[in-house]
Amino acid sequence: MNRRDILRRTAAAGLLATPAAGLLAGCATGGGGDKNTGGTYQGTKSAQNPLGVKEDAPLDVVIFNGGFGEEYAKAHEAMYREKYPKAEIKHSATQEISKTLQPRFVDGTPPDVVNNSGAGQIDFNGLVSQNAVADLGELLAAPSLDIPGKTVKDTLLPGAVEVGSYDGRFLVLNYTYTVYGIWHSTKLFTERGWQYGKTWDEHIALCKQIKAAGIAPWTYAGLHPRYMSWPLIATAIKFGGPSVATAIDNLEPNAWKSDAMKAAADAWHQIVKDKYILEGSPGLDHKQSQTAWCQGKAAFISCGSWLESEQKDVTPAGFDMTVQPTPSLGSGDKLPFEAIRGTAGEPFMVPAKAKNLAGGLEYFRVMLSKKGAQDFTRKVSSLTVVAGSTEGVDLPYGLNTVVKALEASGSNGFNWVYNNYYRKLERNLVDAACGEFFSGRIGPAEFLDQCQKGADSIAQDNSVKKYKRTA
């Protein structure tokens, strides 16, 4: 089985498990409209220019300067300029997307391309409800730049469109394929003779060994403690099945207090009680905790598959970072140990009022070309949603372990989407509860109670658009 087969099969089997556009209920009306009305610059459409790009129209691109950096975007911009050499491209990068761009959205002068990501992301729920995002349907129907005989949509992994669709309209391009799991250094484990635990009992026994060796078993991003909600929720889903995620996504009463969530919270509380977390972790941000992990101060960290790229400047040679699924609670788990969470991520959008709307769509066509996707993977050690784009690419050690994890997970992959539907719930309310829980200030029952109260507050807020996941 080659990498293309692996990625296609796992995606088709459910790793991109998100509600299809037709399964959403209560979505905001509009969301960019049936046809885009923005765009000061209009070119003539043709077979060579299917999106009608004006060849000398300037293009304004704003990138989130996070784990992937900005060099990949500069390469995509250079590819765009190869086709439109008369176009002036304004490139900027920031870690504060909302703070930087909200004034421009308000006064009607947004950029043409926005990588709306990071902690300072603009809430998509609000953008969609205000009709501020362009419809990307025309992009999907356009021919691929370098895969003959296929449209852009034909080249994408199954599920990539659904995760960015609202009320039947494709509004958000989630460019990367991200796997979430628990990471460790294979070099460290080999040197110490440690073996990753597949069950929770084995994990705790290993944590005891690690601590006895003078190394902290765990660290985490204390200033972004939601990172630890990911393995906790994953543990619950593997124990109770995918319906655990569906209930949370649909804001069902007491979804956070299900038997599966209680079992998972009780289990993860053990690493807090037994002091298996690196001292000082609650005060660390994501980069500081990841750097401490790379330095061998802790054995485990929870993160997505952007980790290798984000840490490339400080990762020791031969560190061999490896991703693994969360351990199983026991033989009663409904999903096997190998089941892992994966989804399309890293959102990009073209604002509805972009001056060069056609250019923004064309920029996405460049990103979704085989050349653009392969270059991205080479530069940032992350997969994209373009099928077959890893062919001929020498993948780094960590990303190879991601591909292997996907192969092992097969049809048992899972995901949740409440964080996409209701950004405030994860970024503020669950984040705060995780901060209290993993610092040891509250126990499992109070943690779940705080999460449930947060979900209930969203459910009862009539100003927030609600979504329904049915699968």
Side-chain angles (χ1 to χ4, degrees):
M1 184 184 294
N2 62 33
R3 290 193 181 102
R4 174 184 287 181
D5 292 332
I6 292 168
L7 294 178
R8 278 180 172 163
R9 289 186 187 184
T10 51
L15 273 171
L16 286 172
T18 56
L23 301 178
L24 300 180
C27 287
T29 56
D34 295 329
K35 293 183 179 179
N36 294 316
T37 56
T40 301
Y41 303 104
Q42 301 290 338
T44 302
K45 292 184 179 181
S46 65
Q48 290 72 39
N49 186 11
L51 296 172
V53 179
K54 192 171 188 294
E55 63 176 11
D56 60 349
L59 186 72
D60 188 350
V61 180
V62 178
I63 299 298
F64 169 64
N65 194 4
F68 297 133
E70 57 179 313
E71 293 307 311
Y72 77 88
K74 292 179 180 178
H76 288 155
E77 290 160 11
M79 294 176 200
Y80 182 96
R81 198 177 288 110
E82 285 177 13
K83 190 173 183 184
Y84 302 101
K86 296 180 181 179
E88 178 184 346
I89 298 180
K90 178 184 177 183
H91 169 97
S92 57
T94 178
Q95 293 188 349
E96 297 288 347
I97 293 292
S98 180
K99 186 182 296 183
T100 303
L101 295 184
Q102 275 194 329
R104 295 186 62 181
F105 273 90
V106 171
D107 66 16
T109 60
D112 303 309
V113 173
V114 179
N115 175 201
N116 187 28
S117 187
Q121 174 192 62
I122 306 173
D123 186 359
F124 274 112
N125 191 300
L127 288 170
V128 171
S129 66
Q130 295 170 34
N131 305 324
V133 187
D135 193 314
L136 305 180
E138 192 176 6
L139 166 70
L140 294 180
S144 166
L145 266 179
D146 57 4
I147 304 177
K150 290 190 175 184
T151 65
V152 169
K153 185 177 182 179
D154 293 336
T155 68
L156 304 182
L157 288 167
V161 173
E162 284 77 12
V163 76
S165 294
Y166 294 77
D167 199 23
R169 288 182 292 278
F170 181 45
L171 304 179
V172 181
L173 169 62
N174 288 279
Y175 187 55
T176 65
Y177 188 88
T178 304
V179 170
Y180 295 81
I182 297 174
W183 294 78
H184 70 271
S185 164
T186 292
K187 179 184 178 183
L188 173 65
F189 273 48
T190 300
E191 290 174 348
R192 298 282 182 164
W194 297 333
Q195 187 171 353
Y196 187 84
K198 292 185 177 182
T199 68
W200 191 256
D201 287 345
E202 291 172 353
H203 182 75
I204 293 300
L206 179 56
C207 285
K208 189 174 182 179
Q209 276 186 276
I210 294 170
K211 186 176 181 180
I215 300 172
W218 273 89
T219 188
Y220 70 99
L223 299 186
H224 310 289
R226 65 182 179 278
Y227 278 46
M228 289 301 286
S229 73
W230 303 337
L232 192 154
I233 297 173
T235 300
I237 292 171
K238 290 169 76 166
F239 179 76
S243 62
V244 173
T246 304
I248 288 174
D249 292 338
N250 289 342
L251 303 177
E252 291 182 11
N254 292 319
W256 288 88
K257 296 183 178 182
S258 66
D259 290 342
M261 287 297 295
K262 288 177 180 177
D266 286 343
W268 282 94
H269 191 230
Q270 191 167 354
I271 71 166
V272 180
K273 289 190 302 181
D274 293 348
K275 300 188 183 304
Y276 288 151
I277 297 176
L278 178 68
E279 188 174 349
S281 290
L284 303 178
D285 65 19
H286 61 296
K287 291 296 290 289
Q288 291 169 327
S289 60
Q290 291 163 191
T291 298
W293 173 71
C294 284
Q295 293 169 342
K297 296 178 181 178
F300 298 117
I301 195 163
S302 164
C303 199
S305 50
W306 63 81
L307 177 65
E308 188 171 36
S309 173
E310 197 162 53
Q311 293 303 112
K312 64 183 178 182
D313 293 337
V314 298
T315 303
F319 185 80
D320 293 348
M321 62 177 67
T322 300
V323 69
Q324 291 277 9
T326 52
S328 302
L329 284 183
S331 59
D333 278 25
K334 292 187 177 180
L335 294 177
F337 160 74
E338 291 80 9
I340 201 165
R341 178 193 176 202
T343 184
E346 198 61 24
F348 286 75
M349 64 180 177
V350 174
K353 292 186 178 180
K355 287 185 178 179
N356 191 4
L357 196 151
L361 297 181
E362 181 73 2
Y363 181 82
F364 284 176
R365 198 160 72 110
V366 169
M367 291 174 62
L368 295 171
S369 66
K370 191 169 185 178
K371 179 182 177 181
Q374 287 180 328
D375 189 76
F376 178 86
T377 296
R378 289 191 184 98
K379 281 185 167 61
V380 308
S381 301
S382 182
L383 305 177
T384 73
V385 293
V386 179
S389 60
T390 59
E391 290 178 358
V393 179
D394 185 16
L395 301 180
Y397 191 96
L399 194 55
N400 261 314
T401 73
V402 170
V403 173
K404 290 176 182 177
L406 292 176
E407 180 183 15
S409 182
S411 62
N412 294 301
F414 60 88
N415 188 35
W416 55 86
V417 291
Y418 84 91
N419 51 312
N420 292 338
Y421 290 169
Y422 315 109
R423 182 176 181 274
K424 178 183 176 182
L425 179 52
E426 187 196 42
R427 295 296 182 103
N428 298 83
L429 305 173
V430 171
D431 193 64
C434 285
E436 295 294 296
F437 180 58
F438 285 99
S439 64
R441 289 190 289 269
I442 62 175
E446 192 173 352
F447 164 70
L448 296 177
D449 186 59
Q450 286 191 16
C451 292
Q452 187 59 54
K453 286 181 178 177
D456 291 343
S457 70
I458 299 293
Q460 295 161 10
D461 188 345
N462 292 331
S463 69
V464 177
K465 297 292 182 181
K466 305 303 189 302
Y467 303 91
K468 181 75 172 179
R469 180 180 179 180
T470 60

